[in-house]
Amino acid sequence: MRRLFTVLFFSYCLLLSTRLQAQSPQTAGLRRALAAARHDTTRVLLLADLSSTYRYSRFDSVEFYARKGLALARQIGYPKGEGRCLSRLGILTSERGNLPQALRIDLQALQLHEESHDWEGMARTFNQMGLLYHALEDYRPALAYYFQAKNLYEQHGVGDDSQLISVFTNLGASYEGRRQLDSAAYYLNKAYALTRQSGTVHQSCWGNPRPYVLRELGLLQASRGQDAQALDYYRQSARVAFPENDLRSACRAYQYMAELYHRRYQTDSSVYYARKSLALGQALPFVIGVVHTSKLLTSAFEAQANSDSTLKYMRVLRQAQDSLYNPQRIKQLDAIGFAEQQRLRQLEAEQRQTQARNRLFFLTAGLGFLILVSLLLWRNVRQQQRANRQLSALNQEITEQRDRLGQMLHELKTTQSQLVLREKMASLGELMAGVAQEIQTPVNNTRDLAGVSADLIEDLRKELAGLDVQMEDPGALNDKLLMLTQYQNSIIRSSQRAASIVRGMVEYAQSSPGPRQLTDVNAFVEDYLRLTYHDIRAKNRNFYAALLPTLDPAVGNLSILRHDLGRVLVSLFTSAFFSVQQRQLLAQEGYVPQVAVGTRSSPGHIEIWVRDNGIGIRASQLPMVFERFSPAKTGDNDLGLALSYDLITKGHGGTLTVESEEGEFTEFLITLPLTAPSEPTSVA
């Protein structure tokens, strides 16, 4: 009887939501405000908010109002409104499963938010970017974006509580996905308490987030094995979702109910709620929900040997998975994320340059002050000498006293001169100690800008060749462009030589192995892989490679020399990227550059391996790879591999080996003992 009442209530809510034409409670008020708005800027913001009211019900209305507001914002030059409307389009694109395009739109919106100092819009966009990685179950970057959104909401006092509740719920859901249930319970309970206490959740254009909070609380109870409490939360979520016209939350609630009944082997109930969830997911369309429910239905009917229904839902599952987990889109998403990291690092570099200029200014001002003090002292000394000469002429009787006073004065001047000289030398020593570090940025910038200039000259030559323009002496122009290209290449080589010299100075200056530190090896290896890839791409903008990390969670933490192991990883990754670049130049059909890295836990030691599908190394050259001047082609990394071998074997007490097949692959293997050697050897 209770189940029949629940079914009738859900059916009534579904009919009621259809009759209201998929409107949220806030839609009518925003329509009236839009009709009465007098200023275009107000109209843009209202169109963005009106688009948000259809966020989980009618995607065509989301797109209609967002694009209408975007066109008006661009027409009047209103970056804040343009960023808000772009952010709404990013929501729409992500729900339809095109995650790379959604990330591109969110990054454009984020830049507009920064220009207009729209903290609320920036926080909302960070929250959306976290959801993109959450959809792929990549919780580490998702949590980073959620915490950025949380900090913005709390620092700038945004009055829309529904947005802060959404961030708390997303944090809880991510920790639940990582199986950190205590952290998940903390944020979900915080979100639920704020939902019940807040007086603004019913006024927000985003609607009441209570359905979302309830269903995630249910999922937390299910993870703890409390099935009865979980079902109660799911039913509450579905019941409060329909008045808000939150079809997405209703779809998710039915999905979670179907999954719970499936685990309890209640197949009929599982199929019933899975079909309801799939119908709502396909109507939106909500691709993530379609993937989960169609997979559940496929499994259920396959167990019943119902081939027709199995084939039907398998087709739905295959189509949704192709849209959401397309490998090319995943690579695009990774590339866009790297581009955003590159932009943030460039901003940090500019800040460091500003700080360096400020330090130079203060140093110059201090030096000027010292010179002024020295001039004043010199002037005083001269005045004293003049007074002594006058006293000598007037009083011959105190000649002996005058001589002693002159001798003392001479010694004082000598001491003062020595003090000034020591001060200058100390300042010069500090300045020269920072030269090796400070010169790296302008040298790298010179190299990068010269490379960009060479590419631009090549593009210019191609465009001039395609233009139908009569020139008196086209050969002379081509010769000048060729000469300019040669000059740029010469600048690049000189910059690389200077960078190599400075890098050597810094490395030899940091020859001390330093203290061992307990380090998360998996995170350490993955960070250096991405940093090296970013550096390679900064030198060659057209180079791309698939990064394939396979990290064993059992590796855990290990006490290592972070600086030395980092130098080894950079050397191995650089060699791998050089190898795949060389094979890419052969233009082999279907070749995709790949660099894989992995970790393994073994008794008494751990292993780190780096494998690429590049040109490989000849069998005759393998025994000489780790020699100082190896004949094997590893770019400009020959000395780096020799140094890496010494750092691993002498500094860490481990081993470094290599296996390779020419034209197929190269694999380096590092083994590190779990127990550190008592006295590690310093390797420069």
Side-chain angles (χ1 to χ4, degrees), residues 504-520:
M505 292 170 61
V506 173
E507 290 180 352
Y508 279 96
Q510 298 177 351
S511 60
S512 175
R516 287 181 174 269
Q517 299 179 7
L518 194 63
T519 303
D520 184 346

Side-chain angles (χ1 to χ4, degrees), residues 33 37 45 51 81 114 185 252 283 295 303 317 337 391 394 433 534 553 597 641 654:
L45 296 178
S51 172
E114 293 174 351
R252 276 294 207 184
K295 183 177 181 180
L317 173 63
L391 289 174
L394 294 175
H534 164 71
V597 62
L641 290 179

Side-chain angles (χ1 to χ4, degrees), residues 552-579:
D552 184 3
V555 170
N557 297 331
L558 183 66
S559 180
I560 62 172
L561 303 174
R562 293 174 60 92
H563 175 262
D564 289 351
L565 185 57
R567 292 165 69 181
V568 172
L569 291 175
V570 169
S571 178
L572 298 185
F573 293 146
T574 301
S575 178
F577 287 126
F578 172 81
S579 181

Side-chain angles (χ1 to χ4, degrees), residues 23-35 50 53-54:
Q23 292 185 1
S24 298
Q26 299 79 18
T27 305
L30 289 172
R31 286 181 180 275
R32 290 192 296 270
L34 180 63
L50 188 58
T53 62
Y54 293 98

